[in-house]
Amino acid sequence: MARSQALLFLSLIAFVFLGSSSAVPRKTVGIYELKKGNFSVKITNWGATILSVILPDSEGNLADVVLGYEGIRPYINGTTYFGALVGRVGNRISGARFVLNGTAYRLYPNDGTSSIHGGHRGFSFVIWTVKELVVDGEFPYIKLYYYSFNKEQGFPGDLDVYVTYKISGAYELSVTMEATPRTKATPVNLLQHSYWNLGGHNSGSILSNTVQIFASYITPLNDQLIPTGAISSVSGTPYDFRNPNTIESRINYVKGGYNMNYVVDGQGMRKVAVVEDRRSGRAMELWANQPAVQFYTAYYLNGVEGKGGAIYGRYGGLCLETQGFPDAVNHPQFPSQIVNPGEVYKHDMLFKFSF
């Protein structure tokens, strides 16, 4: 544990105990706060989940800009993936199956006949171990670890997984995800699934937000939201956000709102998207090193009770989930997500906030 171990319990805002047998040691789920000035991020080791991100608006008023539940217990059986770290493979895998090195692997189908976000007990529904916690340094951070066993949810091989949340600068939050297979090659596609509303989590629709996505192509979907295998230009379509546009300006041309994988221009760590909320003056830049980003406008969020009794309705938040291409294990023309023993999967994200 880091030198600020003694402050662990000062940052433990609340906790619950899970487990059904007194003969088995119970694991503790905690809530931990990273704070720098009036910028605050709360995280739980249940699902390595972001619970809140609090920052000022243009007039200095503080607000929490991520959607979430009140307390920990609703996250245990929740279906929204609010703020969660999703894996072993985020997004959908068609038919809940794939073939790797001549072996067919069958996964848990939790989205019709497909698997989504790692199965019904993926990484967002497990207790992670707090490996390091520093709350008093220049760059407060928490590092979480999860051991995923061979055949968990059907995936091959043992996998060591780490995620680090860090206040890496003034109003900057970095997310570093790493995974290393121990025994077998396996697909890995970790996602950070926060729902953002820069006006405040309880401020209503995000349709008036201005969005820019640095992506010239998308991977079109079939009626089950599985990529067809094609890669198509956004030019002349409602999916073209290469120049800033409000979400509401085009959403009526998209059935079910935006829920699309964008192929991000360029390579390496680069700017992926910018979101602006003109009512509050808050803006968010997203940088990442992944080939794609899922843009989702929360069409299926309808009447969910959230923090402080807020009721989240359709279009109450937006997700920008950097990722590998969905269903890549079944589309050899897509960039591979297979990680072999001795290799390290690394997914870096950086959120830069301004107001």
Side-chain angles (χ1 to χ4, degrees):
M1 190 67 73
R3 66 185 179 86
S4 58
Q5 183 181 23
L7 294 178
L8 172 61
F9 296 103
L10 295 178
S11 292
L12 183 62
I13 310 303
F15 66 88
V16 298
F17 291 106
L18 303 178
S20 57
S21 172
S22 59
V24 178
R26 295 181 177 183
K27 294 184 178 181
T28 302
V29 175
I31 299 176
Y32 309 90
E33 183 176 25
L34 308 177
K35 186 176 177 65
K36 189 169 185 177
N38 58 0
F39 182 42
S40 165
V41 181
K42 289 181 182 177
I43 293 148
T44 176
N45 59 322
W46 176 263
T49 299
I50 294 177
L51 299 176
S52 68
V53 176
I54 296 174
L55 69 153
D57 64 9
S58 58
E59 296 182 354
N61 301 308
L62 297 177
D64 183 356
V65 296
V66 293
L67 278 59
Y69 296 113
E70 181 70 27
I72 294 295
R73 289 199 175 276
Y75 287 90
I76 296 171
N77 295 311
T79 59
T80 61
Y81 299 94
F82 282 149
L85 196 290
V86 172
R88 178 178 305 195
V89 174
N91 220 303
R92 291 172 173 84
I93 295 179
S94 62
R97 70 181 301 276
F98 64 93
V99 176
L100 177 59
N101 295 332
T103 300
Y105 294 95
R106 299 191 179 278
L107 311 175
Y108 191 95
N110 59 327
D111 185 55
T113 60
S114 299
S115 170
I116 189 171
H117 294 337
H120 78 302
R121 300 295 291 179
F123 294 175
S124 52
F125 294 104
V126 299
I127 302 174
W128 293 58
T129 299
V130 178
K131 300 295 285 186
E132 298 179 32
L133 175 66
V134 172
V135 298
D136 58 349
E138 183 180 1
F139 304 112
Y141 72 89
I142 185 170
K143 186 173 187 177
L144 303 168
Y145 167 77
Y146 179 66
Y147 163 65
S148 179
F149 56 87
N150 181 39
K151 295 298 181 69
E152 185 175 17
Q153 297 297 297
F155 290 99
D158 303 293
L159 187 71
D160 293 312
V161 189
Y162 294 88
V163 59
T164 300
Y165 294 106
K166 182 177 185 179
I167 294 181
S168 54
Y171 304 103
E172 293 186 2
L173 173 65
S174 67
V175 184
T176 302
M177 296 164 259
E178 296 184 350
T180 305
R182 294 186 185 182
T183 54
K184 297 180 180 179
T186 183
V188 181
N189 185 32
L190 305 179
L191 311 184
Q192 214 303 316
H193 206 295
S194 288
Y195 290 67
W196 301 94
N197 188 325
L198 296 180
H201 77 97
N202 57 353
S203 65
S205 169
I206 46 80
L207 291 178
S208 64
N209 283 187
T210 299
V211 172
Q212 184 175 17
I213 302 175
F214 299 91
S216 301
Y217 296 89
I218 56 173
T219 55
L221 307 174
N222 63 21
D223 58 2
Q224 295 181 333
L225 301 180
I226 300 291
T228 63
I231 299 176
S232 301
S233 172
V234 299
S235 181
T237 76
Y239 295 100
D240 190 351
F241 284 93
R242 290 175 294 179
N243 294 311
N245 276 290
T246 61
I247 298 171
E248 63 190 352
S249 66
R250 306 174 180 196
I251 199 166
N252 290 335
Y253 299 100
V254 180
K255 183 180 179 180
Y258 290 100
N259 191 9
M260 179 58 67
N261 177 60
Y262 283 75
V263 181
V264 181
D265 296 337
Q267 294 182 339
M269 194 70 176
R270 63 222 187 270
K271 190 184 296 186
V272 173
V274 179
V275 182
E276 296 184 13
D277 176 66
R278 293 178 180 174
R279 296 169 298 178
S280 66
R282 295 188 186 95
M284 179 181 78
E285 287 186 8
L286 170 59
W287 294 63
N289 66 347
Q290 293 298 289
V293 61
Q294 189 83 12
F295 177 42
Y296 174 52
T297 51
Y299 180 84
Y300 296 105
L301 195 63
N302 196 0
V304 176
E305 185 174 354
K307 290 178 277 193
I311 302 299
Y312 302 137
R314 181 171 291 170
Y315 306 132
L318 64 85
C319 300
L320 286 163
E321 308 154 64
T322 50
Q323 61 182 357
F325 288 19
D327 200 31
V329 289
N330 292 309
H331 294 282
Q333 72 274 32
F334 287 173
S336 175
Q337 295 172 4
I338 304 304
V339 186
N340 296 294
E343 298 176 343
V344 179
Y345 165 93
K346 190 172 183 183
H347 180 171
D348 295 322
M349 305 177 75
L350 177 63
F351 298 94
K352 298 182 178 183
F353 301 96
S354 57
F355 41 88

